[in-house]
Structure formats: structure tokens, C-alpha cells
Amino acid sequence: MPYRSNGTAYDAPVSILLVTSRDSGRWVVPKGNQGSSLSPHAAAAVEAEEEAGVRGSVCPTPLGTYRYRKRRANGASLMFDVDVYPLAVTQELAVWKEASERERRWFPLAEAAGQVDEPDLSDLIRSFDASAFNRAARPPSLLGTVAQKSRVGPMFAWFQRLLPKQGNFFDLFEAHSQTIVAAANALGRLVEGGSATAEHIREIDEREHDADAVIREVLTTVRQTFLTPFDRGAITSLIGSMDDTIDEMQATAKSVAVYGVTVFEQDMKDMAAIVVDAARVTCEAIPLLRDVGRNGARLHELTGRLVRMETHADDIHMAGLKRAFEATNSDPMQFLVRREIYKQLERIIDAFEDVADAIDGIVIDHS
């Protein structure tokens, strides 16, 4: 499922790229048979390039599955199960294999969900709409509602200044999550290789500095705030684990720079793609903490996805190490370099699992 964000804000609108089916002309996501030589997500990326002319980071952990009925050339009408992999588009090709056979078009998320025929696929597309959940996560405060209904603005503003300071923790959490997404996207571009390696490394470094400024503000606010939305330990645990994700991204980028790595194995790209999607999931989850009681179930779904990603990444890590050892056993230094990159990528994803644990702890205590 090719997607892109139309802006840099955490709740920026998301667009989905659909293509027309060759036989019926209806709107579908790019899809096809896996074949015997490719992993499922790699096959999905190939189909996206051939059918829709897009490239990007495809997460090896599927978003979900849908079923559809397809009529075969022999007249049989059979049901097929399709695993859907999110693909963060970084490049649109002007010429691609099936350009003359299909139309491609970007749709706003809600419109894309309405264009496809399969209800399960429609639900999967809607599940990408972080802004809908985030709007629900921002209920008006009781005091704000009273002020609006009673029209006592100036007097109410004076009264509010007398109340104990509550801090702007949610705004700070969300600002930090945006830096995580930006750094993850830069990491995804970095492992694709190319001539812009230094610029991608620089961006990751700059994003880490932005995140440091946010966490310093959070820790200062914790000390100065009378009323906090969660236990102070939960706040510092959450922002600390979030900051660990971007610290590990910076460590990975520094290793790439120190060792002069310019070529990245597919397993490394797959782990980076998991980082990109884990950052997106985190950025959706954080605003939901504004109303844990209402959003507990959705938060549990998102943290469960982060945990599944970490498990999947462990498998990719071990397979990648094995392939690297077999390919470089005559050059031990090359293996040590690749092992270091794999280790750094694994640490990023481990840090996202820590974020999931911190969020789950808040949900358990407050839902």
C-alpha cells in the first residue's frame, strides 16, 4: 500500500496511491504473486514498482490481510488472501513497466477507502488515518467548555492563572514524535545508498539535536509542574524511551559515516523500513494519550504492532548476519563492519519496543 504524508505535522493528511485493475478498471492497491525467490514484502515492492511506478521503504511486517475474489482465465472464481505491506514512497517514476496498462492516482485517505471494493482493504486503509484518532484524543477541557458556554472570558482567564501549572506535556510528546518520524525517514533514505549519504547523515544528526531540546523541556516541566497528566515516572520513562529511538538512529548514522559504508544489504534495508513504519505508528499513538480512557483499545493495537515489528526485526537481523558472514568470511573486517550496522539497527527497533512498553504501562494505569 503506497502512501505519503502531505506535510510534516504528526497529523498531516495521508494520501494512498491506487492503480486501476487491468481487467475491470476498478481501483486497487498494487499486488501480485510472491514467486519463489522473493520474500513477501520484497515481492510487494516489485509489484508496486511495476504496476504503480513507485519506490520506497516497504515494511516487512504486514499491516493486515484482506480477501478478494478473482476470476481466472479458465472461468473459475476463487478467493485469494492478500497481505498488505505499507510502503513509504520516496520516488515516483515517470516511466514504468505497466504505465500503458493502468492509471495511477493519489487519493486522500478517506476517499481511497471508499474507492476500493473490498471491505477489509477499506478498513486497512482507514486504519492509517491517524488524524481521525487524534481528533478524538483531544476532547475540550471541562474548564474550557465552561468558559465558552458562560462567556466569562476575561474573568475566566484571570481565574485560570491562579490554578496550579499543568504543563504542556502532550504538545512536547507530539513534537518529539515528529522528530522521530523525520529522522526515521532520513535513515530510510540513507540505506538506499546514492550520492546524498552525507546529507542524510546530517539530517539525522540535526533531528537528534531537535529531540534533545524537547526532552530537556519535558524534564524541566516535570520539575516545575504541580499537576501532571501521568505519574512523573511514567512521563520520564516515555520521553526517555522515545529519545532512545532517535539516539540510536544517530549512532547508526555515525557508524555509517565512520566506516564509510555506501552499499547496504537488503536485510539492512528491511530493518530500516521497519524503523520507518515503527516511527509512523509511534507518531499516531502519542496524541491518543490525551484521552487514554477512550483510546486504550487503539493504543493497545498500536503497541502490539510495535512488538510484532521488533520480533520480525530479530529474525531479519539473524538472517542478515548469517548472510554477511558467508559473504565476507575471507575478509573479517568487512564482516565486523556489517555486524556493527546490524547491531545499531536492532537497537533502534528495540528502543521502539521500549516505547510500546511505556505506553502500555500508562494505559494499564489510566484506562
Side-chain angles (χ1 to χ4, degrees):
M1 187 170 71
Y3 73 93
R4 67 183 181 192
S5 295
N6 303 316
T8 58
Y10 73 92
D11 57 353
V14 173
S15 296
I16 301 295
L17 186 67
L18 300 179
V19 297
T20 53
S21 171
R22 284 185 295 190
D23 53 356
S24 64
R26 63 189 180 88
W27 291 106
V28 297
V29 292
K31 62 183 182 300
N33 295 321
Q34 176 181 344
S36 58
S37 61
L38 295 175
S39 59
H41 70 283
V46 170
E47 295 295 336
E49 181 171 341
E50 291 182 352
E51 296 185 5
V54 290
R55 296 172 180 164
S57 296
V58 56
C59 180
T61 306
L63 180 66
T65 302
Y66 75 94
R67 306 193 82 187
Y68 82 108
R69 187 172 294 279
K70 181 175 182 178
R71 183 172 295 279
R72 310 292 285 179
N74 60 12
S77 182
L78 305 175
M79 293 295 293
F80 288 85
D81 292 317
V82 181
D83 289 331
V84 179
Y85 296 88
L87 186 150
V89 173
T90 58
Q91 184 180 3
E92 289 187 56
L93 305 178
V95 179
W96 66 99
K97 183 177 180 180
E98 299 183 13
S100 62
E101 304 174 58
R102 302 177 186 270
E103 180 184 353
R104 70 177 180 186
R105 186 185 305 173
W106 287 101
F107 289 94
L109 214 151
E111 187 176 344
Q115 289 288 342
V116 298
D117 290 344
E118 299 82 5
D120 291 346
L121 177 57
S122 181
D123 290 342
L124 286 177
I125 293 174
R126 287 192 179 91
S127 75
F128 243 63
D129 190 5
S131 61
F133 291 103
N134 296 339
R135 284 193 296 271
R138 295 171 177 264
S141 68
L142 176 61
L143 293 177
T145 302
V146 170
Q148 183 179 12
K149 297 297 183 182
S150 60
R151 299 184 179 180
V152 292
M155 179 63 73
F156 183 74
W158 172 82
F159 174 68
Q160 277 191 309
R161 286 195 291 272
L162 298 180
L163 294 175
K165 184 178 178 183
Q166 297 186 36
N168 58 336
F169 292 103
F170 295 116
D171 291 340
L172 292 170
F173 291 155
E174 291 161 19
H176 197 289
S177 69
Q178 291 176 50
T179 68
I180 291 173
V181 169
N185 288 337
L187 180 70
R189 294 190 295 271
L190 173 62
V191 300
E192 290 299 321
S195 59
T197 296
E199 293 181 359
H200 299 322
I201 292 173
R202 178 180 173 181
E203 180 178 358
I204 293 170
D205 195 54
E206 291 175 352
R207 300 295 187 178
E208 192 276 337
H209 293 327
D210 292 341
D212 278 348
V214 175
I215 192 172
R216 284 195 296 270
E217 181 68 18
V218 171
L219 296 179
T220 299
T221 305
V222 165
R223 293 193 298 271
Q224 297 176 345
T225 299
F226 181 76
L227 296 175
T228 58
F230 314 121
D231 178 80
R232 284 172 168 76
I235 291 173
T236 56
S237 176
L238 174 60
I239 197 65
S241 59
M242 291 172 64
D243 203 55
D244 286 344
T245 66
I246 198 165
D247 285 346
E248 295 297 350
M249 292 183 212
Q250 184 188 43
T252 304
K254 286 183 175 179
S255 294
V256 170
V258 167
Y259 297 119
V261 180
T262 57
V263 177
F264 299 86
E265 287 87 1
Q266 185 59 48
D267 292 308
M268 293 179 183
K269 295 179 181 179
D270 290 346
M271 293 183 74
I274 289 179
V275 171
V276 170
D277 205 45
R280 178 192 64 80
V281 171
T282 299
C283 199
E284 178 182 342
I286 292 302
L288 300 182
L289 293 172
R290 290 177 181 266
D291 190 345
V292 176
R294 294 176 60 189
N295 300 308
R298 178 60 177 173
L299 283 165
H300 183 67
E301 292 175 6
L302 296 173
T303 57
R305 179 165 172 78
L306 288 173
V307 172
R308 290 194 298 275
M309 288 180 188
E310 192 278 334
T311 301
H312 197 166
D314 282 345
D315 295 337
I316 297 172
H317 176 216
M318 294 305 297
L321 278 181
K322 180 177 175 60
R323 277 189 276 269
F325 179 76
E326 292 171 348
T328 61
N329 57 16
S330 60
D331 189 348
M333 286 303 299
Q334 282 298 314
F335 172 72
L336 293 176
V337 168
R338 278 156 174 74
R339 186 178 67 175
E340 177 68 15
I341 302 301
Y342 276 116
K343 180 176 70 174
Q344 296 289 357
L345 289 168
E346 183 188 31
R347 286 178 174 174
I348 301 172
I349 301 166
D350 287 345
F352 276 111
E353 185 180 30
D354 292 339
V355 173
D357 291 341
I359 292 173
D360 279 338
I362 293 172
V363 172
I364 291 170
D365 289 342
H366 296 274
S367 62

